């Protein structure tokens, strides 16, 4: 039963994996620098790591915006966000998972009579605007540095490309980690206040309740990356702008840095210790940040034809996505509560903590989730090992066949 | 990572070796023509054999370079152009081989009074191709210097054209003692020497575009 409630979040995760995660390796795969297989495996593994290790920072911010305190409410909020994304994509309207989920949470706040924390909302909106701008600035600075290094180092083009290829893998891994840390809140953030799972001891480390929820979301995202992102990755390079391999590296690095900055509690603490204001832990839209980075490089290169439609789309997404998602959440919550008699959450009273109102049956079910996660992890480990062995076997066979055909060619020519 | 490094090093070495072959081929061609004009046929045949070996090695290297670039997905964005450049350079060494073969098979009777014209034409035509070599190497390391290096290619190509025209004028307008078949044969041989600078210019055009693209 409890897994059923999670399906809307898992679906949201799948769509995040299929679309947003593609931005990280999109240019590299589109330009054939890295194969889709390699990109998908690296993106999946590092997204999950980022989500589990560092994903709680941005999730806490979303919880502050609105602590959805019933599983039925979390389900409806995630469902409304997912439907909004589906509908707006269908009608080719600009959309961002981040903005859809924030709108849905505000919709829940309005429906349950909870106040929306205005300071948190301001922080989130400021981060949405700052994300693409910082991305553009980072991209310009990093691109200038790379160009200067390339000119002074006089590295052979092929060697330079191989460095770029290695760089793309490392930066891509960092990007996937940062995306996991920053964007997992969009997928699972609304479920965290409503779930209290037992700690899961895996021998080497223990996963807390929050980490288990984030892990499930991470797995859904990984499924989205592995099953559907190839289509987006194949076309993304040419869709936004034709990027050279070094520009692609800079775009991914700049985007990763922005996502990392907005999700690293450690970095924020360092800022505070240095007497600077803390960095807000806010989920930002990866697609909007990447557009900011690409526009930054375009501006530096003196591109005359900057596509202002892209900028207009971003601005439109900031307004339209939360509004549509918020309205849809409000109506869905109304139906869930009055027609299906579902507990979608109540007004939070008292200053200390959130008195979570859980259904008794659901509380019992929650202990089973840890067991399911344990089996999923075991299955993934076995499947991963077999897949890895099979991959190396097939690769070695392919290489031998190629060598044999080449030898045969030269032998026949003689 | 080790696979990347090994492939990269191998490929760089192969491209360098390929360009070396073309470079040496040009030198051997020049010496071969001089030996032919001096009627030193032993030296000429030695040079012809050398060019044959260089051309075969260049062909093999060309295939290996293209195979490795495809299988290891090297330079995905510039691969087609780099392959074209290697093709154009291969055309030059192919043309060197076929020219020397024409000299060997047809044994053109070049009047001694035209020796200097033929030597000058060979040297200028070969110089155009020789100036292409540093530009082709620069594309991989210092692409911003390619275009200035290519200026000399265009200069020598136009000089080769002038020398070829002058020599043809001398043959057809001043050398009344030669019959028409002899004149036509000499014109054909001149074309064989001159074509090297034309091929160098064609490769230079391609390289020039490639350099602009990579700097964008």
């Amino acid at each position: 039963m409890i897994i059923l409630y999670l399906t809307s979040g898992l679906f949201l995760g799948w769509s995040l994996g299929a679309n947003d995660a593609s931005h990280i390796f999109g240019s590299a795969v589109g330009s054939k620098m890295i194969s889709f297989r390699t990109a998908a495996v690296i993106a999946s593994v590092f997204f999950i790591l980022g989500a589990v290790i560092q994903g709680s920072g941005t999730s806490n911010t979303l919880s502050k915006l609105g602590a959805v305190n019933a599983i039925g409410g979390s389900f409806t909020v995630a469902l409304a966000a997912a439907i909004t994304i589906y509908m707006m994509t269908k009608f080719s309207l600009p959309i961002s998972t981040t903005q859809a989920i924030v709108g849905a949470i505000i919709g829940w706040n309005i429906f349950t009579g909870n106040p929306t924390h205005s300071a948190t909302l301001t922080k989130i909106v400021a981060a949405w605007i700052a994300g693409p701008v910082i991305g553009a600035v980072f991209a310009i600075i990093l691109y200038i540095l790379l160009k200067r290094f390339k000119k002074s180092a006089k590295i052979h083009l092929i060697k330079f490309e191989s460095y770029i290829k290695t760089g793309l893998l490392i930066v891509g891994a960092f990007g996937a980690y940062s995306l996991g840390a920053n964007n997992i809140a969009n997928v699972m953030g609304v479920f965290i206040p409503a779930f209290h799972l037992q700690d899961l001891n895996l021998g080497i480390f223990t996963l807390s309740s929050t980490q288990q929820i984030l892990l499930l979301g991470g797995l859904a995202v990984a499924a989205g990356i592995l099953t559907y992102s190839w289509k987006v990755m194949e076309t993304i390079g040419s869709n936004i702008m034709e990027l050279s391999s070094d520009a692609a590296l800079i775009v991914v690095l700049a985007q990763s840095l922005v996502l990392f900055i907005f999700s690293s509690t450690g970095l924020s603490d360092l800022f505070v210790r240095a007497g600077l204001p803390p960095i807000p832990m806010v989920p930002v839209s990866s697609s909007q940040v990447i557009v900011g980075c690409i526009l930054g490089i375009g501006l530096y290169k003196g591109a005359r034809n900057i596509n202002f439609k892209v900028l207009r789309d971003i601005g439109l997404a900031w307004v339209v996505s939360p509004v549509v998602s918020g309205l849809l959440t409000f109506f869905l919550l109304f139906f869930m509560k009055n027609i299906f008699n579902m507990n979608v959450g109540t007004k939070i009273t008292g200053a200390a903590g959130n008195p979570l109102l859980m259904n008794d049956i659901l509380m019992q079910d929650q202990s089973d989730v840890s067991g399911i996660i344990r089996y999923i992890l075991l299955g993934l480990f076995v499947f991963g090992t077999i897949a890895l062995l099979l991959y190396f076997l097939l690769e070695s066979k392919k290489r031998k066949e190629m060598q044999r055909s080449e030898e045969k060619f030269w032998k026949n020519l003689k | 990572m080790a696979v990347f490094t090994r492939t990269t090093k191998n490929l760089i070495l192969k491209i360098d070796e390929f360009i070396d072959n073309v470079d040496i081929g040009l030198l051997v061609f020049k010496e071969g023509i001089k030996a032919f004009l001096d009627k030193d046929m032993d030296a000429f045949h030695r040079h012809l054999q050398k060019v044959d070996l260089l051309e075969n090695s260049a062909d093999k290297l060309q295939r290996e370079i293209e195979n490795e670039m495809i299988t290891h997905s090297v330079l995905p964005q510039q691969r087609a152009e780099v392959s074209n450049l290697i093709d154009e350079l291969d055309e030059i060494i192919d043309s060197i081989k076929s020219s020397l073969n024409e000299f060997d098979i047809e044994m053109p009777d070049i009047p001694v009074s035209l020796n200097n014209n033929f030597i000058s034409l060979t040297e200028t035509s070969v110089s155009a191709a020789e100036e292409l070599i540093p530009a082709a190497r620069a594309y991989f390391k210092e692409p911003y210097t390619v275009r200035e290096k290519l200026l000399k290619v265009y200069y020598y190509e136009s000089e080769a054209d002038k020398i070829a025209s002058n020599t043809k004028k001398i043959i057809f307008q001043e050398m009344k003692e030669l019959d028409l078949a002899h004149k036509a044969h000499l014109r054909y041989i001149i074309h064989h020497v001159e074509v090297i600078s034309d091929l160098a210019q064609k490769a230079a055009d391609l390289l020039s575009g490639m350099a602009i693209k990579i700097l964008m």
Side-chain angles (χ1 to χ4, degrees), chain A residues 208-396:
Chain A
S208 66
S209 169
T210 304
Q211 283 176 318
Q212 288 175 57
I213 299 294
L214 297 178
L215 175 67
L216 272 180
L219 289 172
V221 174
I225 295 172
L226 292 167
T227 57
Y228 208 73
S229 68
W230 66 270
K231 219 173 169 181
V232 190
M233 282 197 196
E234 288 277 320
T235 52
I236 196 145
S238 51
N239 270 0
I240 300 176
M241 179 178 145
E242 199 78 38
L243 286 176
S244 62
S245 49
D246 43 357
L249 176 79
I250 295 303
V251 164
V252 179
L253 182 60
Q255 182 210 18
S256 311
L257 284 171
V258 174
L259 291 174
F260 186 79
I261 285 171
F262 284 111
S263 49
S264 171
T265 39
L267 196 67
S268 180
D269 291 345
L270 266 179
F271 263 58
V272 175
R273 256 179 265 155
L276 296 164
I279 303 167
M281 299 294 102
V282 176
V284 286
S285 164
S286 63
S287 43
Q288 288 170 10
V289 173
I290 211 160
V291 170
C293 298
I294 293 172
L295 284 178
I297 289 183
L299 276 174
Y300 170 73
K301 280 184 170 181
R304 286 172 202 161
N305 306 322
I306 289 180
N307 191 356
F308 285 100
K309 193 178 166 287
V310 182
L311 293 174
R312 191 200 64 195
D313 282 356
I314 295 179
L316 211 63
W318 285 338
V319 183
V320 178
S321 320
V323 172
V324 173
S325 181
L327 286 172
L328 191 68
T329 307
F330 189 89
F331 288 113
L332 275 179
L333 286 170
F334 178 81
F335 279 109
M336 293 293 184
K337 190 178 179 182
N338 297 308
I339 297 174
F340 298 104
N341 218 11
M342 190 187 273
N343 176 17
V344 292
T346 50
K347 190 169 182 174
I348 300 165
T349 49
N354 300 328
L356 301 176
L357 301 170
M358 296 296 157
N359 184 313
D360 283 348
I361 301 162
L362 290 180
M363 285 294 277
Q364 281 171 9
D365 276 352
Q366 287 187 2
S367 58
D368 298 339
V369 177
S370 300
I372 293 169
I373 292 174
R374 195 189 292 270
Y375 282 116
I376 290 175
L377 287 178
L378 187 69
L380 277 176
F381 177 74
V382 175
F383 176 76
T385 314
I386 295 169
L388 209 66
L389 279 172
L390 209 66
Y391 171 77
F392 281 115
L393 270 173
L394 288 174
E395 279 295 302
S396 120

Side-chain angles (χ1 to χ4, degrees), chain A residues 9-56:
Chain A
L10 297 178
F11 173 66
L12 204 57
W14 180 86
S15 82
L16 185 92
N19 292 297
D20 293 28
S22 317
H23 295 130
I24 291 166
F25 280 108
S27 345
V29 173
S31 62
K32 314 271 184 246
M33 290 282 286
I34 297 173
S35 70
F36 168 72
R37 206 166 28 192
T38 313
V41 171
I42 292 178
S44 303
V45 170
F46 281 89
F47 187 98
I48 295 172
L49 286 176
V52 176
I53 298 169
Q54 212 179 302
S56 55

Side-chain angles (χ1 to χ4, degrees), chain A residues 27 31-34 143 147 150-152 154-162 165-166 169-170 242-246 301 399 402 405-406 409-410 414, chain B residues 1 4-5 7-9 11-12 15-16 56 59-61 63-64 67 69 71-79 82 139-142 144 214-216:
Chain A
S27 345
S31 62
K32 314 271 184 246
M33 290 282 286
I34 297 173
Y143 193 67
K147 281 270 160 197
K150 195 178 170 183
K151 197 167 179 180
S152 60
K154 291 181 184 171
I155 305 170
H156 196 283
L157 181 68
I158 295 176
K159 204 180 260 182
F160 185 74
E161 281 283 320
S162 91
K165 199 182 258 191
T166 315
L169 284 173
I170 297 167
E242 199 78 38
L243 286 176
S244 62
S245 49
D246 43 357
K301 280 184 170 181
R399 215 170 298 136
M402 179 78 194
S405 113
E406 196 62 16
F409 174 84
W410 289 109
K414 276 176 192 170
Chain B
M1 210 74 80
F4 280 168
T5 323
T7 312
T8 306
K9 272 186 189 165
L11 202 56
I12 294 172
I15 291 175
D16 275 345
N56 280 342
D59 274 350
K60 196 172 176 186
L61 283 167
R63 189 180 154 89
E64 283 174 3
N67 275 358
M69 286 213 295
T71 48
H72 297 287
S73 201
V74 179
L75 298 179
Q77 290 172 325
Q78 292 93 10
R79 193 192 302 148
V82 170
Y139 171 77
F140 294 101
K141 280 193 167 183
E142 302 160 274
Y144 44 90
I214 207 168
L215 291 172
M216 286 293 281

Side-chain angles (χ1 to χ4, degrees), chain A residues 10 37 74 89 128 144 148 171 184 204 275 277 283 312 343 348:
Chain A
L10 297 178
R37 206 166 28 192
S74 308
T89 311
W128 287 350
I144 292 171
R148 287 207 178 151
V171 170
I184 194 67
I204 326 161
R312 191 200 64 195
N343 176 17
I348 300 165

